[in-house]
């Protein structure tokens, strides 16, 4: 029977229930006053803004010529795989992983070489021995990497990044680094762009990023692919055109320029503090009401990942549907990310809404646990 979602609290898809920063709203409204909404040329200011932002904020100096724009990080991911991987080859990924990793690999006629993360003591770590084994396979030429990691919430340390890079350098594997969550980082953690580690790492890396996740502008459809390798850029640019994702709308680049400003940075700082507060609320509620459901450490992203093994092996698709149907709260099954037994909660919403959502989750999980 279809589920009525009209009164559901949405804590699933990675989108925020916050208004955009005022500087973005102002810039988009000003652009909207120009009555021509046709094709447009992305101006030099767009490239210069990206260069300045990543240099000042993350210590990564990008040459403007390295940047290719497209409509989103998922289309970017697909274009990179199409450009750099032969059909039938293997693409490595650390799992659990963002679900579009799986579809992008599959849709480009490649196969997944899965490197499961090790779960212990409320966090996930990389099995470097297994990753080395996977990357040593001559059929595997690309690692689809996620930093910060969705859905585990990890922000990879410099040591971890270098170990990944050294493995890929040894085996001539390209690192395609999805860094869309790079601005959502919790207190005490630091995001490091993979390509910023040094030239030897930059030379094996294709970075995919966007202002959309941090600034809640996904509907404006703008993202970037960045690599210093001219041959790869040419191949990726060709794939972008083959996939017909070469044109962007008149508002996306305007929003990025506004976001990557001093006003945007201040708004972002307040956002991260607010998400951290929502995470603390989640820990308090789960610790008091659901002690059998450990919550993983949230280092980055606004997506909390928790362990559902207390439900005795109940499939998380069934947990998701039960909570949606009965408690009218929607959270994500871990199965879609390749790791059943876990679920994901979106914390990027006003605290009152998060509190109500957590109240409903508590009721539903207690109800399900009582039936185990």
């Amino acid at each position: 029977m279809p589920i009525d979602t009209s009164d559901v609290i949405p804590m699933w898809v990675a989108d925020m229930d916050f208004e955009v920063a005022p500087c973005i709203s102002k810039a988009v409204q000003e652009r909207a006053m120009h009555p021509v909404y046709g094709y447009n040329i992305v101006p030099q200011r767009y490239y210069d803004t990206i260069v300045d932002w990543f240099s000042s904020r993350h210590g990564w100096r990008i040459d403007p010529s390295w940047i290719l724009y497209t409509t989103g990080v998922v289309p970017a991911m697909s274009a990179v795989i199409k450009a750099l991987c032969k059909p039938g080859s293997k693409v490595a990924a650390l799992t659990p992983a963002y679900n579009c990793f799986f579809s992008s690999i599959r849709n480009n006629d490649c196969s997944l070489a899965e490197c499961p993360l090790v779960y212990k003591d409320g966090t996930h770590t990389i099995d470097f021995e297994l990753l080395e084994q996977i990357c040593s396979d001559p059929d595997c030429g690309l690692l689809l990497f996620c930093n910060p990691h969705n859905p585990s919430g990890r922000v990879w340390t410099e040591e971890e990044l270098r170990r990944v890079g050294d493995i890929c350098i040894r085996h001539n594997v390209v690192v395609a680094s999805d860094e869309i969550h790079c601005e959502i980082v919790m207190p005490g953690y630091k995001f490091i762009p993979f390509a910023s580690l040094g030239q030897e790492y930059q030379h094996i890396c294709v970075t995919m990023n966007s202002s959309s996740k941090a600034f809640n502008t996904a509907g404006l459809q703008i993202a970037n692919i960045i690599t210093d390798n001219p041959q790869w850029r040419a191949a990726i640019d060709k794939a972008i055109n083959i996939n017909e994702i070469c044109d962007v709308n008149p508002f996306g680049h305007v929003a990025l320029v506004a976001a990557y400003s001093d006003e945007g940075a201040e708004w972002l700082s307040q956002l991260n503090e607010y998400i951290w507060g929502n995470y603390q609320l989640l820990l308090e509620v789960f610790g008091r009401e659901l002690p059998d459901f450990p919550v993983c450490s949230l280092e980055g992203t606004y997506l909390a990942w928790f362990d559902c093994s207390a439900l005795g092996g109940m499939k998380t698709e069934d947990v998701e549907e039960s909570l949606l149907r009965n408690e009218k709260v929607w959270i994500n099954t871990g199965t879609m990310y390749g790791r059943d037994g876990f679920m994901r909660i979106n914390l990027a919403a006003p605290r009152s809404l998060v509190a109500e959502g957590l109240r409903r989750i508590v009721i539903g999980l207690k109800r399900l646990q009582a039936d185990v």
Side-chain angles (χ1 to χ4, degrees):
M1 184 174 66
I3 299 173
D4 178 10
T5 59
S6 59
D7 58 348
V8 166
I9 294 180
M11 304 179 78
W12 61 295
V13 70
D15 201 351
M16 294 196 287
D17 285 324
F18 297 127
E19 294 181 3
V20 298
C23 58
I24 297 174
S25 181
K26 178 183 177 183
V28 170
Q29 289 179 44
E30 287 177 353
R31 174 60 184 86
M33 292 300 292
H34 191 297
V36 177
Y37 300 159
Y39 298 118
N40 64 117
I41 296 173
V42 174
Q44 184 62 40
R45 184 185 179 194
Y46 174 83
Y47 300 96
D48 294 341
T49 298
I50 293 168
V51 169
D52 291 345
W53 178 268
F54 280 93
S55 176
S56 61
R57 191 171 179 89
H58 301 298
W60 179 28
R61 186 69 187 178
I62 302 168
D63 188 294
S65 67
W66 300 349
I67 302 170
L68 296 169
Y69 62 78
T70 186
T71 56
V73 165
V74 173
M77 190 186 311
S78 183
V80 169
I81 295 171
K82 181 183 290 292
L84 302 183
C85 299
K86 294 179 181 178
S89 64
K90 297 176 182 178
V91 176
L94 307 177
T95 57
Y98 173 46
N99 52 295
C100 287
F101 276 30
F102 306 129
S103 58
S104 293
I105 293 169
R106 183 176 62 249
N107 291 343
N108 283 285
D109 297 321
C110 295
S111 61
L112 170 68
E114 184 177 0
C115 184
L117 295 173
V118 178
Y119 171 63
K120 184 179 179 182
D121 298 330
T123 193
H124 292 71
T125 54
I126 299 170
D127 184 338
F128 290 103
E129 185 175 328
L130 177 57
L131 182 62
E132 179 104 41
Q133 179 182 331
I134 290 169
C135 290
S136 67
D137 184 339
D139 289 334
C140 181
L142 187 140
L143 168 65
L144 203 49
F145 192 65
C146 192
N147 180 36
H149 187 263
N150 173 20
S152 76
R154 282 298 317 278
V155 175
W156 305 115
T157 65
E158 181 175 349
E159 179 185 1
E160 289 171 316
L161 292 172
R162 289 188 182 279
R163 290 187 69 180
V164 169
D166 290 344
I167 288 171
C168 292
I169 288 169
R170 280 196 293 274
H171 300 291
N172 198 32
V173 171
V174 178
V175 177
S177 190
D178 171 4
E179 299 182 357
I180 194 171
H181 291 275
C182 68
E183 306 300 345
I184 310 296
V185 179
M186 299 298 100
Y189 298 96
K190 177 179 173 58
F191 163 73
I192 302 171
F194 185 92
S196 72
L197 293 171
Q199 283 199 348
E200 66 270 37
Y201 301 97
Q202 182 170 281
H203 291 340
I204 64 161
C205 183
V206 178
T207 300
M208 302 165 292
N209 62 32
S210 173
S211 58
S212 64
K213 198 64 67 179
F215 291 95
N216 204 25
T217 57
L220 299 182
Q221 297 189 314
I222 192 79
N224 300 295
I225 305 169
I226 305 171
T227 176
D228 70 355
N229 186 308
Q231 287 76 36
W232 293 354
R233 274 201 312 278
I236 294 167
D237 189 43
K238 181 179 179 180
I240 287 172
N241 282 271
I242 290 171
N243 287 357
E244 304 290 3
I245 49 170
C246 49
D247 292 316
V248 292
N249 71 65
F251 302 101
H253 63 86
V254 170
L256 180 142
V257 170
Y260 288 174
S261 65
D262 290 343
E263 288 180 66
E266 176 56 33
W267 183 90
L268 183 62
S269 177
Q270 294 177 26
L271 172 72
N272 280 326
E273 290 179 13
Y274 196 90
I275 291 168
W276 179 249
N278 282 350
Y279 174 62
Q280 297 307 305
L281 175 62
L282 169 69
L283 292 179
E284 189 272 324
V285 170
F286 268 54
R288 183 183 68 245
E289 303 288 347
L290 297 169
D292 296 329
F293 295 81
V295 178
C296 293
S297 175
L298 185 65
E299 302 174 1
T301 81
Y302 47 72
L303 306 164
W305 186 241
F306 72 94
D307 184 344
C308 290
S309 56
L311 295 179
M314 181 179 181
K315 290 188 175 299
T316 51
E317 298 105 313
D318 296 333
V319 177
E320 178 185 38
E321 182 180 359
S322 180
L323 293 177
L324 180 57
R325 188 177 295 278
N326 293 281
E327 280 72 38
K328 301 294 183 180
V329 61
W330 195 348
I331 62 176
N332 279 134
T333 168
T335 309
M336 70 185 296
Y337 308 109
R339 185 67 61 90
D340 200 10
F342 289 81
M343 299 194 78
R344 197 187 78 170
I345 302 175
N346 184 335
L347 296 174
R351 192 150 300 144
S352 59
L353 192 64
V354 171
E356 174 59 19
L358 292 176
R359 186 188 71 82
R360 297 184 188 189
I361 291 168
V362 167
I363 293 171
L365 292 180
K366 283 185 174 181
R367 172 178 54 79
L368 293 171
Q369 190 177 20
D371 294 335
V372 173

